[in-house]
Amino acid sequence: MNMISLWAVVAIGLASNLDNAGVGIAYGVRKIHIPWYSNLAIALISFIATLLSGLFGNMIALWVHPWVGQWIGTIVIVAVGVWVLLQPFVEKKPVVATEDDPPILTRLLRNPEEADKDSSKSLSLGESLLLGIALAMNALAGGFNAGITHLNVFYTSLSVGVFSFLLLALCAGFGEKYAAEKLGNRATVISGLLLIIIGLHQIL
């Protein structure tokens, strides 16, 4: 693996998991403990999601010209980056009250403490599964991009899994309300920008 590919693998792993930093700090502030096995389950979900989407990208790459694959990968990952980048602004808009609740995965990303269903101040293995699925959404785009642009899918998936575990564990360690409020929005913006940069870098 050359240095450019290694950079892309690490960048995808980091960009796919910056939401974990915000979630980890939110849990730290609220004194909700994340056991290592729950954190590992979340990381494994991200690893599997990235691997499956990467294998799907590999399949698509068999049927299209490499140049077309580069553009498809770029469009997908840049589109997700723009969507992530716009989330803080979309969430600030006033929402008309309706009887329907937002989707549960959306609620978990906005209020991750809702995953602690039994209010035990500890994230059980079962509770971590739903949170893991919510946090793995960004990993799908990164995995697909790796597969269709011929990056090593396994190493990309491993990078996503490792960064998932590390960011959630480390950021849960320093929970200060000021940091939680500031880093939550900044992590989302940085994540979106990184995804866009990764996509554009692949066609320049």
Side-chain angles (χ1 to χ4, degrees):
M1 184 184 296
N2 58 41
M3 285 302 297
I4 294 177
S5 296
L6 181 61
W7 176 89
V9 165
V10 172
I12 289 173
L14 182 60
S16 299
N17 287 296
L18 284 177
D19 279 345
N20 292 40
V23 169
I25 290 179
Y27 272 54
V29 167
R30 292 163 179 80
K31 308 298 182 186
I32 299 175
H33 177 59
I34 307 174
W36 69 267
Y37 50 84
S38 295
N39 192 4
L40 182 61
I42 292 170
L44 282 173
I45 291 171
S46 291
F47 171 82
I48 292 169
T50 308
L51 186 62
L52 292 177
S53 62
L55 292 175
F56 178 70
N58 273 341
M59 288 174 58
I60 299 295
L62 293 175
W63 300 97
V64 299
H65 191 278
W67 181 81
V68 176
Q70 290 278 0
W71 273 99
I72 293 174
T74 294
I75 291 168
V76 169
I77 204 164
V78 168
V80 172
V82 171
W83 179 79
V84 170
L85 199 59
L86 293 176
Q87 288 310 295
F89 305 102
V90 172
E91 290 174 6
K92 286 179 183 177
K93 291 183 179 179
V95 179
V96 178
T98 64
E99 294 182 1
D100 296 328
D101 287 331
I104 188 168
L105 296 183
T106 302
R107 291 208 320 270
L108 283 178
L109 289 177
R110 292 181 184 176
N111 303 292
E113 65 275 11
E114 286 189 23
D116 184 23
K117 300 288 187 184
D118 56 7
S119 300
S120 63
K121 293 296 182 179
S122 181
L123 196 67
S124 70
L125 190 57
E127 291 167 342
S128 69
L129 297 181
L130 199 56
L131 180 61
I133 293 170
L135 290 173
M137 292 298 102
N138 287 355
L140 293 174
F144 179 79
N145 177 271
I148 203 165
T149 57
H150 302 286
L151 280 176
N152 188 298
V153 172
F154 178 78
Y155 286 135
T156 302
S157 304
L158 190 62
S159 173
V160 169
V162 168
F163 274 111
S164 171
F165 188 90
L166 291 177
L167 285 175
L168 196 55
L170 293 175
C171 291
F174 67 91
E176 194 177 349
K177 187 149 179 108
Y178 175 82
E181 290 174 350
K182 295 298 181 183
L183 187 60
N185 286 335
R186 287 179 181 174
T188 301
V189 171
I190 294 170
S191 176
L193 287 174
L194 263 178
L195 289 170
I196 292 171
I197 290 169
I198 292 166
L200 294 177
H201 181 267
Q202 290 173 341
I203 58 169
L204 296 178

